[in-house]
Structures are given as structure tokens and as C-alpha cells.
Amino acid sequence: MIKDAVNTETVEVNPVDQVRSTIYQLLSSLFAKEIDHKTLHDLTSDQAKQFWAQLGSEAEFKADVDVLVAELAKLNTDKALLELAADYCGLFLVGTKYSASPYASLYLSDKPAKKGDEPLLFGEQHQQMTQFLKQSQLQVQSEFPEPADHIAVILAYVAHLCTHSDETEQLSFINANLANWLGNFVTKVTEVDTGNFYQALVRLTHAWVKSDAEWLESELN
Amino acid sequence: MNRRDFLKGLVGTSYVVLSGSSVLAPLNALAASGADASDGWLTTGSHFGAFKMKRKNGVISEVKPFDTDMYPTDMINGIKGLVYNPSRVRYPMVRLDFLLKGHQSDTTQRGDFRFVRVTWDKALRLFKDSLDEIQTKYGPSGLHAGQTGWRATGQLHSSTSHMQRAVGMHGNFVKKVGDYSTGAGQTILPYILGSTEVYAQGTSWSLILEHSKTIILWSNDPYKNLQVGWNAETHESYAYLAQLKEKVAKGEIRVISIDPVVTKTQQYLGCEQLYINPQTDVALMLGIAHEMVEKNLHDTKFIEGYSLGFDKFLPYIKGQTDGVEKTPEWAAKITGVSAEIIRDLAKVMTKDRTQMLMGWCIQRQQHGEQPYWMAAVLATMIGQIGLPGGGISYGHHYSSIGVPSSGAAAPGAFPRNLDEGQKPIFDSNDFKGASNTIPVARWIDAILEPGKTIDSNGTKVTYPDIKMMVFSGNNPWNHHQDRNRMKKAFHKLECIVSIDMNWTATCRFSDIVLPACTTFERNDIDIYGAYANRGLLAMQKMVEPLYESLSDFEIFTRFAALLGKEKEYTRGMTERDWLVKLYNDCKAANAGQFEMPEFDEFWKAGYVYFGEGKPWVRHAAFRDDPEINPLGTPSGLIEIYSRKIAHYEYDDCPGHPTWMEKAERSHGGPGSDKHPIWMQSCHPDKRLHSQMCESEEFRETYTVNGREPVYLNPEDAKKRGIKSGDVVRVFNDRGQLLAGAVVSDKFPQGVIRIQEGAWYGPVGEDGSKEGGAKIGAICSYGDPNTLTMDIGTSKLAQACSAYTCLVDYEKYQGKVPAVSSFSGPVEIAL
């Protein structure tokens, strides 16, 4: 019996799905805001080290986990935290497709090529995600005033699905709303990032989502 | 390891790393109930027009023009993109090095876009701490919070009012006089015609259409410029332009566009063009005047009864004072207009009723006072000032001037100044011998040369030693000249604060950036119909402020609270209280003349209609009786010769209109051997100055290769191996930019156009962001003020001289950098 991250009622959850959910939730929170002292403390605790070690035991995650752990270890001054916050700001808080704003709408390659028509922010993908959330009796926190197609929202929603829906539904959501643009997002962040942390985070996210989708598929077959 | 084992291995370790709360929350009851109750059509407006806007699922889904707007601008398609655009300032941010080192930060890093997000509380405290430091160390002369501009419409949330009232409660500061649009015109014309003229209502279009036989559009493109207005436009002028087009076609009115380029208006009206070499308008006017005198075409009776000083001007025309007779032949050599045509113009302009309609471009150049003065002299010589369809106007391309005003009183605004009896915390008025007000375009001079004394409009101005700037709803990194010079000046500033909706270049070169919401995210009121004052508009909030942006009222109420002055600031009234007060004050002012319902009824209807105005003739009362209705000049008459100006003894603005060579002039003028091309940076066709450049999808309808278009003459382009679509490097000794080539026969040899308002996006020669902060960087998007000259028009107005600018251009051969104007640190195409 584990408390759900969003809903306060307790639900019966399979521990493996709970782990998956927690990892999605962790990735979501790392994209949602800058790393502060508390997060840093949580991410570098002894238990967190075990977690990173276990996650890094999988070859496809190892390189990026190593970078993240190494970068976290360097955050031992206020200035280092601020430098990382500036990396975060430059990537995710200003500009769009020319920086690396974390909105799905900017990275979907099949968007209409019409000119002078629909703005990309708070557009179709935002509406679509809002609908998904609504169906699950959820909404974006008022303290997080971002469009619903922000990567943190999508990852948090997958975290929710892991413990609230069947594997078919999870897989189809991931394929239609996350796996289809993460590759472009990785390319962009890797090109633009002035530090190492966020490019490692975004690569790890991509690898995790890919492997999780494969796992879901294998479970379904 | 198999997958299940791997995942199981994470059980027990994973939950401990989960930090903070989720970005998701349970759906609240209101949102769960279905469609948002506030979805539907609402009324609002902006500089671009009065609108109806549809809100659907909590976002703006559709924008359509106000019912009475028959000629809406294309820019309506950019409105949604203004709200939902990539360049929004989403959170309060502080430049990293400033956060670390405060007033000792490395100011040469400004522009490299390395910011961090902070809370509102933190940002406002840093703002206040900086003001404390400046007032303590330097006093009021260290702070310039007077560089204000076009803001957004709305009388309650006017960004200028809020910033200056709030900062004014903290301490005193340096202010500006004049503006960039009409600096020379608004300074010279009170001496000549007794008012600024540029911002005055003009003769009604209906009377011009009825009485004029000839209309001279002098460097004037109303069809382009009337798309936007100071208040919500409803574009009534366009109905008159449509009638004018018909009359031109029927041969009933002859319209001559005197301009180096084929304007949008000329193309629309199908009228004549008289090509003239750039910056030579005064010489043409003098040639015409000479011919009028020679052939005795001028109205000596009018000159005698209504003006002063023609006798002192005549010897100059005849060459008796300077040895150069201003004959049509003399003028032809300078202007490129043949003597024959000049002679004909003199005849045409004096034969029938002639209305001169002056644009503003020709006064945004060195000696920009002169063409306005000389045009007034020509109009006086023609003798039709004060007659319907005759005389001269300096504003028919602006804000519905020429559409009769309803005559109703407009609503007041949230107060800009402190209330009587209120005192700032830092009450010193010791400007240390410097002036507390400086000409608007001379602030960079002041930062670079504090303590220097200059002549300005009959007085002496001593530059204050400015250490901090506060901007709100204003983007001088668009409208000021010479970016490299600006960078040098900004290195000397300790702190810069910008409050804006979007990441303008000004924000980018600031230390503290605060997000204001757009017009469409707050409730407000303003008039609609611009100068026609056709009615009062309810500007209804469409959506809640995006991200963490706040309304100007909210931002500065919080700031005032930090000063312990919240009550003083708001007078204890809420935003809604203010809205109702501004409405009720307006209602009281219009009582008995214009019926206005109770506030709630008005708000529900979305507007109050004030009715049509009566046709009106500018200067008719003066013409009727100049003694009872004198002009506001020293003599009460039109001053062809100004004793007052002559008394100043300025070498660059003598006592009567004078032709003076420019520091740079194309077509054989100074500097043209090195940089042969004149660059005009006129008001844009698809923006309001720099407003709406950030509206991404709309911008993409006119950019070339993602860059601002540069309009090129076909022969000039061919000589340089350039075709439409090429990326072009435009350069001079002051700077360089990249722009997208549009080769067009509307532009003569030796002339290019890059419209101002193109967002500055500097990058290093290697395309790097770090290089963008450096002096000498190249603008990746095409901001023309990278190239313009930062000098005053003269000792009189000290206004901006953006139009005195020579450049050259070439096909860009290097690796083309991505555009960096609209977003983050480095731009690489996806």
C-alpha cells in the first residue's frame, strides 16, 4: 500500500508499476523546476545513491546516470546551484524552438505547415493533454503555470497511468504523446545545453521511456 | 538481468528520491463541471484595433475586428501570437552575475542571456535594494526612470503611469522630454505654427475630399501607417482613402507622392510619384519657393496678414545672404528633380486648392527641423492655411487624425505622479548641477559623457551621471540608434530593470526582468477610434495572466507594499475600484453631452458609442481672425522667420528655414564614395515599432530566410550578385546586420529599406551567443538601428536622426547564423 503522488486515497499497486511510476515522477520533477538545496539533498542521500547505482546497472542508462551523479556531486556551493539554475533557465524558461523549451508541440514533426495561423504555445497539444488529464480527474497544479504539454506534465501523467491504467493504455499514451517527440527534444537540448546535467537528464529520460515502452510491449505479447 | 528483476531491484530505493509535489492535482469541481463558464465572445482592443475575442477551453481561440471596423489590419492575425508567443517573459528573472555580485557585476556580460528564475518577492526586493543603493550613493541624478514609450493600450494599467508613480514613491529621478517619432517636428512647430501639430487633430478628410484639387503626400505613407493607433484603432481613415482612390481614378484629385520610393499608399491610390534624392526635401522646397517668387505665384496678401518674417527669408531665397540663389536649377542638382518639374510643381501647388500632407520620416534626420519649417513656409506662400482642403497637415497618417472627433471626454488614467502631500522615501532633489530632464534621444550621450553641457531648445542641458535605468513597456534597444554605442554605454550602468511582456532586446541587456501580462490578460478601459474618440471600450480580460506574469497594477502595488506605501499607491482601491472610478469620472465629465450608462451596463455591453463628429478645418479660426484667434507663436502669426530661434544663434538651426548638407548623404553627398547606399528605416508595415515582431507565425508571413526583409533596387542588387531570398550583410563603420533580400523596382538606385522594429539579435562572427554581447557583433535578424547614427537633429530639438544613414551591402558568404532575437542563448535550427 503506497500513497499515490497525486490522489490521496490509497490504492493497491503492483510494486513494479509503483517503481515505474516513481521514476516517471522523479523525471517529471527534475524538469518541473530548478534543483534546490532540498532536492539536492534528496538526490544525494545514501538511499538515493543505491537507487542511482541500481538504475545505472542497466547498460542503456549507465553513461547518463554516471554524468548525473557526477554533476550532482559538484553542486556543493550556492554558486554551482545557481549556474545549474542558469542552464535550466536558458534551456527551458526562455524562447522556444531556438532554445529547448520543454513543450511537446515544438518537437512534433508532423504539425501543420500553415503560416500565420496557430501559435504553438497553449495550442493543440496543450488542449489534448488537458483533456487527458480531465479524463483522469486531474489538472495541472495552479502553482505550475505552464502549458499542459510541458514535459513535466506529460511525465507526471505517465506516472499516474502506471498505477491507474492497464498496460495497453499506458503504451498507447506513451507512444502517441511522449516517445514520438523525445528524440527531437534530446537533439535540441544536447545542442543547446551549456552544461552537462540537463543533456544527461534528457538522454536518460529518452532511454528510460524507450526501454519502458519495450517492456510494456513485451508484457503485452 | 531481466527487466522484471531490474525493476524489482529498484523497489525500496526509488521512493526516497521522490522530491517535492507533483505538477498534477486532482481536478477541481469547477473545471470538472464541463466547459468553462467564461468561454464565449468578449470585447477588447489594442493599438492594432478594437476586437471581439473568443475564449474557448480557457485560451483565446478567435479574434475578429470590432463590428464597426470596416478596414481591419492584417496584424489582427498576429494578436494570438502576441499572447502565446515564444518570447514571453514567463517568470521574474535576474542576470546570474548580477545576482551573484550586485552592483559590482561584470556589465560586459550583459546581453549573453544568462539568467536565473527568482520569486516575485526576491525580484522586487532586488529592485528596491538597487534603488536604495543608487539613491544613497548618487542621489536622484543616478537614476533614469523616464525613458518611456508606446506601452500597451488601457488607461488603468498604463505601464508608464505605474512604473513612474511607484518608483517616484521611492525617490526622484531623471526624465525625458520629447519622443523618437516626432522629436524635431514637435519642437520646431510650436515656434512656427504655435502647436506641435504632429499630435493635433487635422482638417477632416471629408472636406479634403470635397475641396482639394491637389494633394501632396510628402514623404508620407498613410495607407501603411494608419493600421495602428495610440488607442484602439477602428480604421475609419481607410474609408476616406478609398474615396480618394476613386477620385484619383476619375481625375478629380491629383495626388503626388514626393518620395524616393514607391510607397504602399501610392500603389493603393494609383497616384503619381515624384522621385527625390533622400534627405534633399528642403532644397526642393526652396526651389519651389524661388519659382513662386520669380513668377509671383505666392499669396502676398496672406503672407502679409498671417505671417511674420518673409522679408528676412526672401534674401536667402535670392542668394543675397549666402551667395547661392535657390533657383530650380540649383535645387535640381541636389534633389535629382529636374528644374522643369520644380517649376511645374510651383504652378500646380498654387493653381488650385492644395493640401500638403507631411509624413514624419523627413524630420527624423539631421536638421530634421528644416523640412517641417520650410513646408510651413511653402503652405504660407500658397496662402490656403485655414481653408478646407488647403494648408498643411503633419498628422493625417497617424491615429485617425482627419476623422472628425466625437468631442467626448476620454477617460483619465491611473495617476503617473504622486498625490498631493505624498513624499518619496528619498526626497532629495539634488541633481548635482545636472539637468533633471534631458532630450529623449540623448540618454546614451549622457551615460557616456556625464557632466557635459549641451544646447537644447534655447536652454542648456547638463548630462546627469546615470547609473541605473528602469524601463517599463518600452524597448529602446529597438528605437535608439547605434547598438555598438549603446553597448558601451550600458557597460557603465550598475543596474538595469525591465518590466515587459516579452524578451525584448532591452530585457536581454537588463539585470532584473519582470514579466508583465499582455493587454488581454487584464481588465481595462480606453477609448476606441483613436483621435476620433468614437467611444469607450471595455477591455475585458480574456485569460488569466500567463505563467507568473502580473498586471502592471499588481506588480507595482506589490512593489509599493515593499516600500510600506501600498495604501498610498492604490489610494486603498482595488483594480476594480479603479476601473469603476475611471469610468465614473469620464461619465461625469461627459454629463449632459454624451450619455453613458452605469458601469455594469457598460461592461456588459462592451462599449459606449459617442457618435459621429462634425467636419472641421484646422487653423480656420486663425484664418477667420488672427487677432482674436492667434497662433501660439510669440507673434501669434506664422513665423517664417523666428526671432526666438535666431536669438539662440545655433549654427545648425538658424532663424529661417535653411538648406544644410548632412553628415552622410547618398547620391553624391558626403560619405557616399565610401558607403553609397541610403538606408531608410521607416515605420513597419506589419508591426507597431517592435511590437508584434515576436508574434512568431505572423512574422513568418513576411520574413525572408527567417530574417527581416531588406528591400533592394534591382540594378544595385544585380551589381552585387544578389537575388531575392539571399541573405545579405548590410554594413557601415558603425555596425553590421544580416537580412533577407527582396529585390523590388519600388526602390530606386542607391536606396534600401529595412523597417524599424526588427528585433535586435546579436551574435558573434562565429555565431556564438557570447559574441552577441560584444561590441562589433552582427545582428542575426536585421535590426536597422545596428547601423544608424546617434546624433541630435540640431541644437534645437536634439532629436533622433535615424534617417541620416549610409550603408553598403553584399551577399553574405559566411556560415549563416541562426536568428537569436526571439529566444534563448544559442539557436540551432531543428
Side-chain angles (χ1 to χ4, degrees):
Chain A
M1 303 285 270
I2 299 166
K3 287 228 171 183
D4 185 271
V6 175
N7 293 321
T8 47
E9 84 271 21
T10 47
V11 284
E12 199 71 49
V13 178
N14 154 355
V16 165
D17 286 339
Q18 183 58 49
V19 166
R20 291 177 50 238
S21 173
T22 307
I23 290 171
Y24 278 109
Q25 188 58 47
L26 169 67
L27 295 171
S28 164
S29 56
L30 291 175
F31 283 111
K33 61 180 177 53
E34 303 85 341
I35 291 180
D36 57 15
H37 284 287
K38 185 182 177 303
T39 319
L40 179 63
H41 181 265
D42 292 346
L43 292 174
T44 51
S45 70
D46 287 344
Q47 276 175 295
K49 278 176 190 151
Q50 285 177 37
F51 164 75
W52 291 121
Q54 173 67 12
L55 192 62
S57 67
E58 197 74 347
E60 59 205 304
F61 307 140
K62 186 174 189 318
D64 295 316
V65 167
D66 286 351
V67 173
L68 289 180
V69 170
E71 290 294 315
L72 286 169
K74 285 190 217 158
L75 299 177
N76 48 10
T77 61
D78 283 347
K79 181 160 188 285
L81 269 178
L82 281 174
E83 289 284 356
L84 186 62
D87 287 347
Y88 179 92
C89 184
L91 285 168
F92 303 138
L93 297 182
V94 290
T96 50
K97 65 187 176 199
Y98 300 116
S99 58
S101 279
Y103 308 129
S105 58
L106 302 175
Y107 303 95
L108 288 163
S109 45
D110 58 345
K111 63 181 179 256
K114 268 191 282 179
K115 284 192 165 186
D117 192 12
E118 284 302 313
L120 296 170
L121 301 190
F122 292 89
E124 206 183 312
Q125 269 67 41
H126 160 77
Q127 296 291 2
Q128 211 177 309
M129 264 313 294
T130 306
Q131 281 310 313
F132 276 121
L133 294 175
K134 216 173 191 176
Q135 283 163 20
S136 301
Q137 296 296 303
L138 293 170
Q139 65 182 28
V140 179
Q141 280 276 12
S142 56
E143 290 78 30
F144 189 71
E146 290 282 338
D149 61 335
H150 191 290
I151 190 169
V153 175
I154 298 176
L155 289 167
Y157 186 60
V158 179
H160 170 85
L161 290 180
C162 287
T163 55
H164 288 80
S165 67
D166 63 30
E167 287 163 340
T168 316
E169 198 182 323
Q170 292 172 34
L171 182 63
S172 96
F173 179 86
I174 289 170
N175 282 337
N177 299 285
L178 189 56
N180 55 339
W181 62 273
L182 269 180
N184 285 340
F185 185 52
V186 170
T187 310
K188 190 45 113 179
V189 173
T190 309
E191 283 169 352
V192 179
D193 192 11
T194 43
N196 300 315
F197 185 86
Y198 286 103
Q199 42 176 314
L201 176 66
V202 78
R203 280 193 303 264
L204 177 64
T205 305
H206 190 216
W208 165 257
V209 169
K210 231 163 55 184
S211 90
D212 194 47
E214 281 162 15
W215 145 260
L216 285 169
E217 220 156 303
S218 70
E219 286 288 296
L220 288 168
N221 287 331
Chain B
M1 199 185 332
N2 85 20
R3 182 71 181 181
R4 189 169 288 276
D5 291 342
F6 165 70
L7 290 169
K8 276 188 175 162
L10 283 163
V11 176
T13 63
S14 65
Y15 71 93
V16 298
V17 297
L18 188 59
S19 187
S21 57
S22 173
V23 295
L24 300 181
L27 192 64
N28 67 33
L30 185 76
S33 69
D36 193 322
S38 62
D39 276 4
W41 288 95
L42 293 172
T43 306
T44 185
S46 73
H47 297 299
F48 306 95
F51 310 126
K52 292 279 184 191
M53 273 190 176
K54 192 178 181 185
R55 184 187 148 119
K56 197 180 164 199
N57 297 326
V59 299
I60 297 167
S61 67
E62 233 178 292
V63 185
K64 63 179 189 187
F66 208 52
D67 298 341
T68 59
D69 188 352
M70 298 299 135
Y71 299 88
T73 162
D74 277 358
M75 283 181 260
I76 198 167
N77 298 321
I79 294 292
K80 267 193 290 180
L82 267 184
V83 179
Y84 302 112
N85 86 78
S87 306
R88 283 292 292 254
V89 182
R90 300 176 198 163
Y91 301 91
M93 290 186 195
V94 179
R95 191 168 63 83
L96 177 59
D97 203 56
F98 183 83
L99 190 63
L100 293 168
K101 301 188 194 124
H103 287 226
Q104 278 73 48
S105 80
D106 176 4
T107 57
T108 64
Q109 290 179 16
R110 285 207 189 99
D112 74 358
F113 223 121
R114 193 144 173 88
F115 284 83
V116 288
R117 166 163 64 177
V118 295
T119 62
W120 266 107
D121 190 52
K122 172 98 179 166
L124 289 174
R125 272 175 199 285
L126 283 171
F127 183 4
K128 178 190 170 290
D129 291 348
S130 276
L131 290 172
D132 285 350
E133 188 166 343
I134 293 293
Q135 293 285 1
T136 307
K137 279 202 302 205
Y138 309 109
S141 55
L143 174 66
H144 191 347
Q147 200 69 18
T148 54
W150 263 80
R151 65 188 182 99
T153 57
Q155 290 293 80
L156 168 51
H157 289 286
S158 179
S159 56
T160 304
S161 294
H162 282 280
M163 186 270 281
Q164 293 198 334
R165 181 172 167 89
V167 172
M169 287 189 165
H170 180 275
N172 298 310
F173 52 83
V174 175
K175 293 182 179 165
K176 60 130 181 175
V177 61
D179 61 43
Y180 283 78
S181 296
T182 66
Q186 66 177 266
T187 306
I188 186 84
L189 289 175
Y191 291 95
I192 314 308
L193 292 169
S195 93
T196 71
E197 296 293 314
V198 290
Y199 299 134
Q201 187 50 286
T203 299
S204 302
W205 276 111
S206 58
L207 297 172
I208 293 174
L209 289 165
E210 187 184 339
H211 297 280
S212 299
K213 289 283 173 280
T214 303
I215 294 176
I216 307 288
L217 289 170
W218 206 306
S219 181
N220 193 355
D221 199 354
Y223 196 75
K224 166 167 71 70
N225 291 327
L226 285 165
Q227 295 178 89
V228 294
W230 181 250
N231 313 93
E233 259 299 344
T234 38
H235 304 106
E236 292 184 47
S237 303
Y238 284 89
Y240 299 109
L241 289 178
Q243 292 177 46
L244 180 57
K245 181 183 167 80
E246 272 176 41
K247 285 183 181 280
V248 169
K250 287 186 197 151
E252 291 170 10
I253 297 180
R254 182 176 178 192
V255 179
I256 305 168
S257 169
I258 302 180
D259 207 303
V261 312
V262 177
T263 65
K264 194 175 180 186
T265 307
Q266 185 197 328
Q267 293 171 65
Y268 172 75
L269 293 176
C271 68
E272 296 166 46
Q273 178 197 14
L274 175 58
Y275 166 84
I276 179 170
N277 287 338
Q279 302 191 87
T280 64
D281 305 85
V282 171
L284 176 59
M285 292 173 191
L286 288 168
I288 295 169
H290 185 279
E291 176 68 7
M292 285 180 183
V293 172
E294 195 72 12
K295 299 280 159 59
N296 208 19
L297 300 169
H298 56 314
D299 186 337
T300 48
K301 248 177 96 183
F302 185 82
I303 292 169
E304 207 172 292
Y306 294 89
S307 75
L308 195 76
F310 188 66
D311 55 328
K312 287 203 167 67
F313 176 62
L314 202 53
Y316 174 69
I317 290 280
K318 297 198 161 166
Q320 290 155 358
T321 50
D322 61 353
V324 180
E325 197 172 356
K326 312 300 176 305
T327 61
E329 283 73 18
W330 166 84
K333 273 193 207 129
I334 300 169
T335 61
V337 181
S338 73
E340 193 189 343
I341 290 176
I342 296 172
R343 291 204 162 83
D344 185 54
L345 259 181
K347 214 189 302 168
V348 169
M349 289 170 80
T350 47
K351 190 176 70 185
D352 283 315
R353 190 65 56 85
T354 298
Q355 176 74 53
M356 293 169 70
L357 300 176
M358 307 300 294
W360 290 350
C361 291
I362 47 170
Q363 51 90 56
R364 277 199 300 272
Q365 58 175 250
Q366 197 183 15
H367 317 128
E369 297 86 354
Q370 303 305 315
Y372 267 30
W373 193 352
M374 187 56 213
V377 172
L378 271 189
T380 306
M381 291 173 75
I382 294 167
Q384 296 173 3
I385 289 174
L387 292 177
I392 187 161
S393 157
Y394 298 88
H396 273 72
H397 59 285
Y398 176 64
S399 274
S400 286
I401 283 176
V403 179
S405 300
S406 65
F414 186 83
R416 183 192 287 214
N417 300 316
L418 271 58
D419 297 344
E420 214 172 308
Q422 291 179 343
K423 274 194 182 325
I425 294 169
F426 289 86
D427 200 15
S428 165
N429 259 308
D430 178 11
F431 283 75
K432 303 199 160 106
S435 308
N436 60 8
T437 306
I438 59 175
V440 65
R442 301 275 59 84
W443 61 294
I444 294 294
D445 283 0
I447 297 169
L448 289 170
E449 295 182 88
K452 183 181 174 184
T453 298
I454 60 159
D455 288 304
S456 174
N457 201 17
T459 63
K460 298 280 182 188
V461 166
T462 299
Y463 289 146
D465 194 358
I466 300 163
K467 298 293 184 185
M468 176 170 175
M469 302 279 318
V470 182
F471 305 105
S472 184
N474 185 40
N475 181 19
W477 281 79
N478 167 51
H479 54 247
H480 193 74
Q481 285 61 59
D482 195 343
R483 297 283 169 261
N484 284 323
R485 195 161 183 267
M486 289 180 79
K487 280 182 187 166
K488 274 182 213 154
F490 267 48
H491 290 167
K492 294 185 70 183
L493 295 173
E494 291 182 14
C495 178
I496 305 155
V497 179
S498 278
I499 302 111
D500 216 309
M501 303 157 2
N502 298 306
W503 275 103
T504 61
T506 305
C507 290
R508 201 170 165 145
F509 281 86
S510 296
D511 301 310
I512 301 173
V513 179
L514 305 177
C517 67
T518 69
T519 316
F520 311 110
E521 295 153 61
R522 49 175 169 73
N523 291 311
D524 215 323
I525 56 171
D526 210 331
I527 59 164
Y528 71 90
Y531 275 47
N533 202 355
R534 191 61 69 233
L536 193 60
L537 191 68
M539 298 168 66
Q540 299 163 341
K541 184 199 276 188
M542 298 301 307
V543 289
E544 290 302 316
L546 292 192
Y547 306 100
E548 276 186 9
S549 66
L550 296 173
S551 70
D552 296 273
F553 183 91
E554 179 64 25
I555 292 169
F556 284 105
T557 299
R558 289 187 189 190
F559 178 81
L562 272 185
L563 306 181
K565 287 173 175 282
E566 181 177 356
K567 263 247 158 73
E568 276 186 55
Y569 185 72
T570 63
R571 295 184 189 163
M573 288 154 65
T574 64
E575 185 193 63
R576 185 183 150 91
D577 294 341
W578 272 102
L579 208 55
V580 173
K581 176 194 155 48
L582 293 179
Y583 180 83
N584 284 340
D585 289 354
C586 179
K587 182 170 152 70
N590 283 316
Q593 305 208 28
F594 297 91
E595 276 313 303
M596 289 171 64
E598 292 304 314
F599 176 81
D600 288 338
E601 201 182 315
F602 151 71
W603 196 257
K604 207 174 151 207
Y607 68 98
V608 175
Y609 176 62
F610 289 145
E612 302 284 320
K614 285 195 188 73
W616 180 84
V617 178
R618 178 134 196 98
H619 297 129
F622 166 66
R623 187 179 187 100
D624 190 43
D625 192 331
E627 275 178 34
I628 292 173
N629 309 303
L631 299 179
T633 57
S635 62
L637 300 169
I638 301 164
E639 300 213 351
I640 292 172
Y641 179 89
S642 166
R643 284 176 61 182
K644 215 169 160 185
I645 291 177
H647 182 71
Y648 299 154
E649 296 184 336
Y650 294 155
D651 54 352
D652 51 9
C653 191
H656 59 71
T658 304
W659 161 251
M660 285 168 278
E661 189 53 276
K662 314 299 168 208
E664 292 181 4
R665 189 169 64 77
S666 58
H667 301 85
S672 59
D673 46 347
K674 186 171 183 195
H675 297 116
I677 308 289
W678 179 67
M679 179 184 75
Q680 62 165 212
S681 49
C682 58
H683 188 276
D685 187 27
K686 306 281 185 191
R687 294 186 290 264
L688 163 57
H689 298 305
S690 65
Q691 294 189 34
M692 200 170 272
C693 194
E694 68 271 41
S695 185
E696 192 169 59
E697 281 67 33
F698 184 66
R699 183 177 74 246
E700 283 168 4
T701 62
Y702 62 82
T703 51
V704 177
N705 241 319
R707 268 146 251 271
E708 182 70 11
V710 53
Y711 297 92
L712 309 171
N713 167 265
E715 280 93 288
D716 287 345
K718 199 173 161 196
K719 233 186 283 170
R720 292 164 175 78
I722 294 167
K723 57 185 188 321
S724 286
D726 286 346
V727 174
V728 172
R729 187 178 81 101
V730 187
F731 59 92
N732 58 21
D733 292 339
R734 290 179 289 272
Q736 51 176 342
L737 61 82
L738 298 181
V742 178
V743 178
S744 162
D745 61 5
K746 309 284 186 290
F747 297 84
Q749 278 190 283
V751 172
I752 65 168
R753 169 183 288 190
I754 305 179
Q755 295 171 357
E756 56 98 5
W759 277 29
Y760 183 50
V763 293
E765 299 263 8
D766 54 352
S768 73
K769 64 152 183 163
E770 292 82 9
K774 287 195 183 119
I775 287 162
I778 189 162
C779 178
S780 57
Y781 180 68
D783 167 15
N785 279 320
T786 308
L787 303 164
T788 49
M789 201 192 313
D790 186 12
I791 57 163
T793 49
S794 79
K795 295 186 177 79
L796 192 83
Q798 293 288 4
C800 87
S801 304
Y803 265 54
T804 298
C805 180
L806 293 189
V807 300
D808 202 349
Y809 62 92
E810 63 185 14
K811 189 167 168 171
Y812 187 61
Q813 303 290 0
K815 183 168 175 277
V816 179
V819 171
S820 77
S821 312
F822 306 101
S823 54
V826 177
E827 304 190 351
I828 299 150
L830 189 67

